[in-house]
Amino acid sequence: MRALASWTWKVLGLVLLLGGSGARAFNDADALKVVGFARTQLRKSASAMPNETRSPKASRADGTWTTVANTDEVAWTQGFFPGGLWQLYQVGLEPSWQSKADRWTRPLEVQKTNRKTHDLGFKMFLSFGNAYRLTGDAYYRNVLLTSAESLAARYNTRIGIIDCCDWNSAWDVPLVTDTMMNLELLLWASANGGRAELRTMAVNHALTTLRDAVRPDGSSFHYVDYNAATGAIRSKGTFQGYSTNSTWARGHAWLIHGYTMVYRYTGDSRMLAAARKVTDWYLSRVPTDMVPKWDFDAPGTQKDSSAAAIVASALLELSQLETDAARKTRYRDAALRTLDTLVSPAYFAQGTNSPGLLLHGVGHLPANQEVDVSLIYGDYYFLEAVLRFNPNPPYPWYSKLSFFESQHRLGSGNTGVRTIEFDVTPLASRQDGTIGYTDSATSVTDYASLNMTVRMNLEGYFDVRNAGAYASLTRVPYVNGRTYHVRILADLPARRYSVWVRPPGGSEVQIANRFVFRTGAPPIDDLGRASVRTLIADSDFRVLNHQVRAGVTASVSDESTEALSDAEESFGCGATPGRATSSGVLTVLGVMVLLQRSLSTRRRR
């Protein structure tokens, strides 16, 4: 116990030394809540869509989404829904989320030759870009490269910008701040097999935007229109804002996020300076709750949660890229304060009839379109911000009736002798649930696909599959609501495994000793997939802290396991089965926070 406490305090001291600062309200518990709710909402939204030809945009009062056709060449929001689905696949590498994401990504391929809009980045990079990042599939990459060339076709060499659009006859060659976000498609393509000129186009556009759309004090116009023949400025204004000289909040958020992104790709100090300039102005004007009015200069009190979400995500990245220590801390603190407000009941849609994640977004107030609603793009950047805060907080896996949905990818590197450890909590008194494993090349379609299986059986105790039947050396009963630590020693070359279970507060008990892999199961060269399956009801048990390590690993002490279990309860993982699902290996910081909270609680008892 003393050794564990000493280790915890050392890690705590290191974390405080490296990144400690005042604002740390948003935490892993909040991240769990957001991701869990996102899984519920996006699953419902996918089911509510008539098919994959349309994507959600804004919420209606009746709790449904307005939708946009994926073939619409001028609309700009179609990439956010598949992008959000890919983000949820990122969380736990569950094939079911990959399947959903791919279903809404592929219909957008028709947009790859669309030369009518500057918004191909929003459409294609958030869908196909996330897809390629997470799968490495060359199909997605090729679509992106074609899309980048289509966007590049709108580059005006005289002015040095991506011409935003053709639909407004009052404009000649317009620039809008939104385009800063679409530059990522060009920058990525240039670094992944596309022309080097694509990067030059992006940098030129960013510099022209800085010169002409960003005011000396760091505030911004939404658009700048140029004369096609001479390149001279015809007009400036805020098309979706309050007045010509006002600062539209979401347009300014695009600048903060956009310059941060361009700096990430280029390392150009001018981009860092631009990001600082527009960010510092924003932070000097945003209210104390960190959610701006829809336009900083507009009368009234109407806020825009989508602008806040975009900025929160940008600030988390900017705080990582920033070279000045004081700014690094200030930007991260501002991001966390923003997320803390967005996850509060004032903005978080949980408990309402909204199909989205965030309330009180504003699309186009001057046109009276999408005012005080949930917006699919606000939700996307909110989820992006949460995953930037911590890509791997202790997201739990929940049991599924479907074999396909029960799967979690573990990768192909877990070969030889491996130790698996996890905590399992039955959330219903009656269980018929299994945690099983197979090769990365095997898709789990039935129990015969699983080489190794640990079960909570209908008789009320743990047992293990041994060749052709289940058996247990010693019966360890399970109790609803209690957390049990399971350790598996898997010898893949020998096709045998041993299993230990430790009840809460008790000692580890061996229930299987070199049991034989399932008879008739497919060949196995690695521990590449896990299945969390139930025969009774979705989410009737959960798995937390799943880890796979090389070689023989002794089980952690009773004290530390109980600490993790207590901390899991403090995170509210079992409050509502099905609210938060998926997996992730605990980060060092996550482990430290969990253990420290538990030890503090233990001292108070």
Side-chain angles (χ1 to χ4, degrees):
M1 177 68 177
R2 284 193 298 271
L4 177 64
S6 174
W7 176 85
T8 303
W9 281 110
K10 287 178 182 177
V11 176
L12 177 62
L14 178 62
V15 170
L16 290 175
L17 177 65
L18 292 176
S21 59
R24 285 294 182 268
F26 189 86
N27 56 30
D28 280 350
D30 297 317
L32 277 171
K33 181 165 70 172
V34 172
V35 172
F37 185 55
R39 290 172 62 92
T40 299
Q41 296 295 81
L42 269 68
R43 183 182 286 110
K44 287 180 179 178
S45 295
S47 298
M49 291 295 105
N51 51 53
E52 298 85 2
T53 64
R54 303 187 70 85
S55 292
K57 184 181 182 184
S59 65
R60 297 189 180 98
D62 64 0
T64 63
W65 287 108
T66 64
T67 62
V68 180
N70 288 330
T71 54
D72 190 321
E73 293 182 302
V74 177
W76 66 283
T77 59
Q78 298 102 313
F80 291 101
F81 183 62
L85 296 171
W86 282 116
Q87 286 176 322
L88 290 181
Y89 173 62
Q90 172 187 326
V91 168
L93 298 181
E94 295 163 276
S96 60
W97 284 106
Q98 180 184 8
S99 176
K100 289 183 180 69
D102 184 69
R103 280 169 52 201
W104 265 271
T105 295
R106 288 179 183 264
L108 291 177
E109 185 178 355
V110 297
Q111 299 277 355
K112 70 183 180 183
T113 54
N114 178 7
R115 298 189 172 192
K116 297 180 180 179
T117 178
H118 68 132
D119 282 322
L120 282 189
F122 283 131
K123 296 186 187 193
M124 308 305 283
F125 199 76
L126 302 186
S127 54
F128 284 87
N130 276 315
Y132 182 68
R133 175 176 65 87
L134 293 169
T135 70
D137 189 328
Y139 159 70
Y140 302 123
R141 175 181 178 274
N142 293 335
V143 171
L144 288 169
L145 291 175
T146 302
S147 302
E149 288 296 337
S150 297
L151 178 58
R154 297 194 64 83
Y155 184 72
N156 185 296
T157 56
R158 177 185 292 277
I159 303 167
I161 65 165
I162 300 292
D163 183 340
C164 111
C165 44
D166 307 322
W167 48 262
N168 190 337
S169 59
W171 290 339
D172 198 355
V173 182
L175 165 160
V176 293
T177 58
D178 317 41
T179 310
M180 286 297 303
M181 302 294 287
N182 294 292
L183 298 181
E184 186 162 15
L185 179 58
L186 300 178
L187 292 165
W188 176 91
S190 178
N192 288 272
R195 293 183 293 136
E197 291 85 355
L198 300 177
R199 183 183 189 276
T200 302
M201 293 176 186
V203 171
N204 287 346
H205 181 98
L207 291 174
T208 304
T209 301
L210 177 62
R211 183 191 69 202
D212 296 340
V214 178
R215 302 185 185 108
D217 66 353
S219 62
S220 61
F221 293 100
H222 178 209
Y223 78 88
V224 181
D225 186 34
Y226 301 88
N227 183 292
T230 67
I233 295 175
R234 298 178 68 232
S235 64
K236 298 184 181 184
T238 50
F239 181 73
Q240 287 179 249
Y242 170 62
S243 67
T244 298
N245 293 308
S246 66
T247 297
W248 176 49
R250 192 168 78 245
H252 199 79
W254 295 140
L255 291 173
I256 296 171
H257 201 299
Y259 279 112
T260 299
M261 174 271 297
V262 177
Y263 178 60
R264 180 201 340 137
Y265 275 92
T266 66
D268 188 328
S269 61
R270 295 172 295 180
M271 303 304 161
L272 177 58
R276 288 170 171 175
K277 184 175 183 177
V278 293
T279 297
D280 291 347
W281 183 89
Y282 177 95
L283 294 179
S284 72
R285 295 288 301 273
V286 72
T288 55
D289 71 353
M290 305 304 291
V291 180
K293 289 197 299 183
W294 71 277
D295 185 297
F296 280 94
D297 303 294
T301 59
Q302 179 63 58
K303 301 264 197 167
D304 180 15
S305 61
S306 74
I310 294 162
V311 172
S313 180
L315 290 178
L316 284 170
E317 179 168 53
L318 184 56
S319 70
Q320 293 297 313
L321 300 174
E322 177 58 66
T323 57
D324 178 78
R327 286 179 182 272
K328 183 184 290 285
T329 298
R330 182 157 60 92
Y331 293 155
R332 181 170 175 80
D333 286 352
L336 297 187
R337 292 200 307 273
T338 304
L339 288 176
D340 195 47
T341 296
L342 293 180
V343 80
S344 72
Y347 289 93
F348 197 47
Q350 192 169 35
T352 74
N353 78 332
S354 170
L357 304 183
L358 289 177
L359 306 172
H360 310 310
V362 174
H364 191 346
L365 193 144
N368 196 31
Q369 295 175 0
E370 298 152 0
V371 179
D372 201 20
V373 295
S374 295
L375 297 164
I376 195 67
Y377 44 92
D379 290 354
Y380 176 89
Y381 289 107
F382 182 40
L383 191 53
E384 179 183 78
V386 169
L387 294 181
R388 282 180 168 175
F389 166 73
N390 189 348
N392 293 307
Y395 298 123
W397 297 341
Y398 281 88
S399 56
K400 295 296 178 184
L401 287 164
S402 162
F403 275 107
F404 181 61
E405 292 195 343
S406 76
Q407 297 176 69
H408 301 266
R409 288 193 173 98
L410 305 176
S412 58
N414 297 315
T415 59
V417 177
R418 294 278 157 169
T419 295
I420 308 165
E421 294 198 62
F422 58 84
D423 298 319
V424 59
T425 306
L427 301 172
S429 57
R430 186 170 178 265
Q431 289 289 333
D432 192 353
T434 61
I435 303 95
Y437 300 87
T438 190
D439 190 272
S440 59
T442 302
S443 182
V444 181
T445 57
D446 52 31
Y447 287 118
S449 305
L450 300 171
N451 302 83
M452 301 182 296
T453 310
V454 179
R455 181 177 68 168
M456 291 179 289
N457 62 34
L458 288 169
E459 288 71 38
Y461 64 90
F462 290 88
D463 56 13
V464 177
R465 184 77 182 192
N466 187 15
Y470 280 95
S472 178
L473 301 177
T474 303
R475 290 191 176 189
V476 176
Y478 60 83
V479 177
N480 176 34
R482 306 297 300 277
T483 297
Y484 300 80
H485 188 76
V486 177
R487 180 165 64 97
I488 303 172
L489 180 60
D491 186 342
L492 270 65
R495 305 296 193 261
R496 291 180 177 271
Y497 64 122
S498 301
V499 181
W500 293 260
V501 175
R502 182 173 56 250
S507 299
E508 192 175 68
V509 178
Q510 187 170 24
I511 64 171
N513 183 27
R514 294 189 61 78
F515 280 13
V516 179
F517 285 7
R518 185 185 186 102
T519 303
I524 182 168
D525 295 316
D526 58 55
L527 290 174
R529 290 180 190 246
S531 168
V532 181
R533 175 90 196 303
T534 180
L535 281 174
I536 298 178
D538 277 349
S539 303
D540 60 3
F541 74 90
R542 71 166 176 260
V543 171
L544 187 66
N545 303 338
H546 190 278
Q547 300 186 52
V548 182
R549 302 184 184 91
V552 179
T553 303
S555 178
V556 293
S557 70
D558 292 344
E559 288 283 0
S560 61
T561 297
E562 188 177 351
L564 284 168
S565 179
D566 288 348
E568 174 196 355
E569 292 172 9
S570 77
F571 269 75
C573 295
T576 308
R579 285 291 188 194
T581 67
S582 192
S583 74
V585 177
L586 287 172
T587 60
V588 172
L589 178 58
V591 172
M592 182 281 299
V593 172
L594 290 170
L595 290 172
Q596 183 57 40
R597 287 187 179 187
S598 177
L599 290 169
S600 298
T601 302
R602 193 181 311 285
R603 292 189 192 100
R604 292 195 296 268
R605 288 175 179 169

